[in-house]
Amino acid sequence: MTMKLWTPPGNFRAFKILIAAEYNSVEIDVPDFSSLDTKSPEFLAKSPMGRVPVLDTPQGSIFESNAIARYVARMRRDTEMCGASFFESSQVDSWIDFSSHEIELPAVVWVYPVIGYMPYKAEAVTKAKADLAEGLQKLESYLMDKTYLVGDKITLADITLVSTLVYPIKLVMDEKYRSQFPCVMRWFMTCVNQPQFVAVIGKVEPAKEELHAEGESKSKDTKKESKKVAKKETAKKDKPKKEAAIVASEEPADAPPAKKQVHPLAQLDKEKPSPFINDAWKKLYSNTKDYNQCMEEFWKMFDAEGWSLWICRYKYNEENKKAFMVSNLVGGFVQRSGEIRKWAFGVMQISGEEGKELLISGAWLFRGDTVQHLCDANDDANWYDWVKIETPVSDADKELIKEFWCSETTLEGRPIVDCKVFK
C-alpha cells in the first residue's frame, strides 16, 4: 500500500513531511484535496479535530504534522534524519518544539493576513514581527559557528524550521528585516538549495520588499478589512504532486521543476543489476561492534564489476587553518552529495594538527566505475584529486580502505581530528 498524505496544496506544514520523504526515498502519494473535505465523517475518523495534514499508512492514519514528519524521518535509521545518537534525537526534538512555539506562531500571525487566511490586525502583526525577530535572534546566535542545527548534516530539525520560514522569507521578510540574521539566512539558503528541498518547495527567492495585507494601510477604526490580497492569475498546469502551490499574494513564480528524469545509476541498476546491496552494507557498518569482522564481510559482499573504490585528497590543504572551519567544509561536502546516496558510501577524514597541518582525505565506494556522478551531483568533488583502487584489490589497498573507514585514532600516521561518514 502506497502511503497517502491528505493536505491542501501549498500547506507549509506538509513541506517537512515531503522533504523528509525525499531524504529517505519514501514514496508518498499526495491526492487532490480541499480543506472543505476535512469535515466529512471519513476524514474526522482519521483526524479527530479535522486538521491537516493526515498520513494514511498500512497500519492506519497519523495526524498532526510533527508526528507525521517524525514517522517518515524514522523510517530509515541510516540517514540519521532524527540524529546520529539518542542525545542528538533529543536535540532534534528540542528544535522542532522551538519551531512550533517561537517561530511558527508569530510567522503565521504575520503571513496569514497577507494571503487572506485571517483578518489584518495592526497590533497583532506588529507584535508578531517583534516576536519572530526575537526567535530568529536566538537562532542567529546558535548558528554563528554551526552549519546545521544538530550534528554535521541536515536533520528533521533543519527541515522543520526551514519549512516554517519558507513563506515568511518569500513574502514578508524584506532585505532590511533579514539583514539582522545573516547566519540564519546562510543556513536557510544552504538548506533550500538541496535537491530534496527543491523537489518539494521549488526555487525560493527571498522577498525584495514586504508584501502587505489589504487593509493594513487603512485606519484602525475601519470596520471591514479585506480578507484577500489582490493576486495575479497565472496558468497552473501539470504541476508536480509535491510542488508547493503558489499562494495568492505572490508574484508569478518560476516554472515548476521539471519532472525527474531517470538517474543514470538507476538505469544502470536496471540494465546491469549488482549482487552488492549498498543499504545492507551501510546497515552492517552502522551497527557493527567489530570492524575487523565488518570489513571481512564487506570484501565478501563487494562486487568489483558493478562497484568501484576511490581515494580522494583535497587539493587545497594549505588553506586549512582552523579545525572547526575544516570540519564545516567537509560536513558541507558530505551533505551536498545526497543526490547519489543510494549509490555511494564514503568516509572523509581530517587528520593532522591545528596550527601545523590539517589534511582532508577520504575513501569512497561508488556504483559503476567512475566518480563523475558525484562530480555532477556536487561541484565540490572537483576540489579533490581522485585515485581509483585497482582490482583485484591488493592486501595493501584493503588495509588502506580499512584504515579510512574504521580507524578512530590515526590515519596514515597522523592523528585524526574529525571524521564524516556519508551513508
Side-chain angles (χ1 to χ4, degrees):
M1 173 184 173
T2 302
M3 293 191 293
K4 292 184 179 180
L5 185 69
W6 301 98
T7 179
N11 181 3
F12 76 89
R13 293 184 178 92
F15 291 167
K16 56 195 167 191
I17 299 164
L18 297 173
I19 294 169
E22 288 286 329
Y23 273 98
N24 278 354
S25 299
V26 174
E27 287 294 327
I28 296 180
D29 185 27
V30 185
D32 291 337
F33 185 78
S34 167
S35 57
L36 298 176
D37 300 328
T38 59
K39 302 305 179 184
S40 69
E42 294 81 6
F43 188 82
L44 291 174
K46 303 175 188 287
S47 175
M49 300 303 294
R51 286 198 287 258
V52 289
V54 169
L55 182 70
D56 283 347
T57 77
Q59 293 78 34
S61 299
I62 304 172
F63 59 93
E64 296 298 337
S65 62
N66 286 338
I68 300 171
R70 287 186 177 101
Y71 174 83
V72 173
R74 290 169 180 158
M75 293 185 77
R76 284 184 59 176
R77 293 181 60 186
D78 60 301
T79 57
E80 298 175 346
M81 282 283 95
C82 290
S85 66
F86 182 62
F87 175 70
E88 284 193 3
S89 70
S90 296
Q91 288 185 302
V92 170
D93 285 338
S94 296
W95 285 110
I96 291 174
D97 287 348
F98 174 87
S99 178
S100 296
H101 300 301
E102 308 301 329
I103 302 298
E104 182 176 324
L105 285 174
V108 163
V109 173
W110 188 2
V111 171
Y112 273 16
V114 173
I115 59 178
Y117 282 10
M118 60 189 294
Y120 170 76
K121 296 185 182 298
E123 292 182 1
V125 171
T126 299
K127 185 176 187 303
K129 292 180 181 180
D131 289 347
L132 181 58
E134 183 178 353
L136 291 175
Q137 192 56 61
K138 302 296 183 186
L139 187 59
E140 175 74 14
S141 299
Y142 181 81
L143 288 169
M144 286 286 289
D145 60 350
K146 297 176 180 65
T147 305
Y148 305 109
L149 292 175
V150 179
D152 56 12
K153 62 168 63 174
I154 287 176
T155 65
L156 189 60
D158 304 282
I159 293 170
T160 300
L161 263 167
V162 167
S163 297
T164 303
L165 286 169
V166 167
Y167 285 148
I169 287 175
K170 287 182 70 172
L171 301 179
V172 295
M173 290 172 56
D174 59 18
E175 294 181 12
K176 182 178 180 181
Y177 190 94
R178 297 194 307 271
S179 67
Q180 306 172 80
F181 318 110
C183 294
V184 171
M185 289 307 301
R186 177 257 303 161
W187 158 81
F188 177 86
M189 295 308 296
T190 297
C191 291
V192 297
N193 282 301
Q194 302 303 313
Q196 294 85 354
F197 282 77
V198 175
V200 175
I201 60 178
K203 184 179 179 182
V204 176
E205 292 286 353
K208 291 186 173 137
E209 59 183 27
E210 178 186 352
L211 291 178
H212 297 278
E214 186 172 328
E216 186 170 349
S217 61
K218 297 179 181 180
S219 61
K220 293 182 180 179
D221 61 348
T222 301
K223 292 183 180 180
K224 293 184 178 180
E225 297 174 340
S226 174
K227 292 184 178 180
K228 294 183 179 178
V229 179
K231 63 181 179 180
K232 295 181 179 180
E233 293 296 327
T234 58
K236 301 180 178 71
K237 297 181 180 179
D238 301 324
K239 298 181 72 175
K241 67 178 181 180
K242 291 183 179 179
E243 185 199 355
I246 306 303
V247 293
S249 58
E250 291 186 64
E251 294 293 321
D254 295 329
K259 187 176 181 180
K260 293 181 183 177
Q261 296 181 346
V262 176
H263 195 282
L265 291 175
Q267 190 65 33
L268 180 62
D269 286 341
K270 292 180 180 179
E271 295 175 356
K272 297 181 179 179
S274 170
F276 180 85
I277 307 300
N278 199 25
D279 282 345
W281 158 242
K282 291 177 180 180
K283 182 177 181 180
L284 174 64
Y285 179 87
S286 299
N287 297 327
T288 190
K289 295 181 180 179
D290 184 342
Y291 280 122
N292 289 322
Q293 182 179 356
C294 177
M295 291 306 298
E296 288 178 7
E297 290 298 319
F298 171 77
W299 295 117
K300 293 177 184 177
M301 300 165 62
F302 179 57
D303 169 26
E305 294 184 1
W307 296 74
S308 56
L309 291 161
W310 297 74
I311 300 296
C312 68
R313 300 187 188 277
Y314 190 53
K315 295 179 180 179
Y316 310 105
N317 282 314
E318 68 277 3
E319 298 177 0
N320 299 337
K321 304 300 181 184
K322 296 292 184 181
F324 85 90
M325 295 177 68
V326 179
S327 181
N328 284 342
L329 173 70
V330 176
F333 168 66
V334 168
Q335 184 64 48
R336 287 187 287 276
S337 303
E339 182 180 322
I340 64 164
R341 189 178 303 278
K342 182 178 179 181
W343 303 286
F345 169 84
V347 177
M348 296 294 294
Q349 298 279 11
I350 303 170
S351 59
E353 186 177 346
E354 186 175 65
K356 293 184 179 180
E357 180 183 58
L358 291 171
L359 303 182
I360 304 172
S361 54
W364 287 74
L365 169 71
F366 294 124
R367 181 74 165 99
D369 60 357
T370 176
V371 72
Q372 188 58 47
H373 297 297
L374 175 60
C375 295
D376 292 341
N378 183 359
D379 288 340
D380 294 358
N382 295 300
W383 299 350
Y384 295 81
D385 289 318
W386 295 87
V387 177
K388 185 179 179 182
I389 299 293
E390 295 297 327
T391 56
V393 182
S394 67
D395 290 341
D397 283 337
K398 285 183 178 181
E399 284 300 314
L400 181 61
I401 295 294
K402 178 181 175 182
E403 187 176 21
F404 267 100
W405 287 359
C406 305
S407 179
E408 298 176 345
T409 55
T410 61
L411 177 70
E412 300 178 306
R414 297 180 300 273
I416 292 174
V417 177
D418 198 4
C419 170
K420 309 291 183 184
V421 180
F422 179 86
K423 58 184 179 178

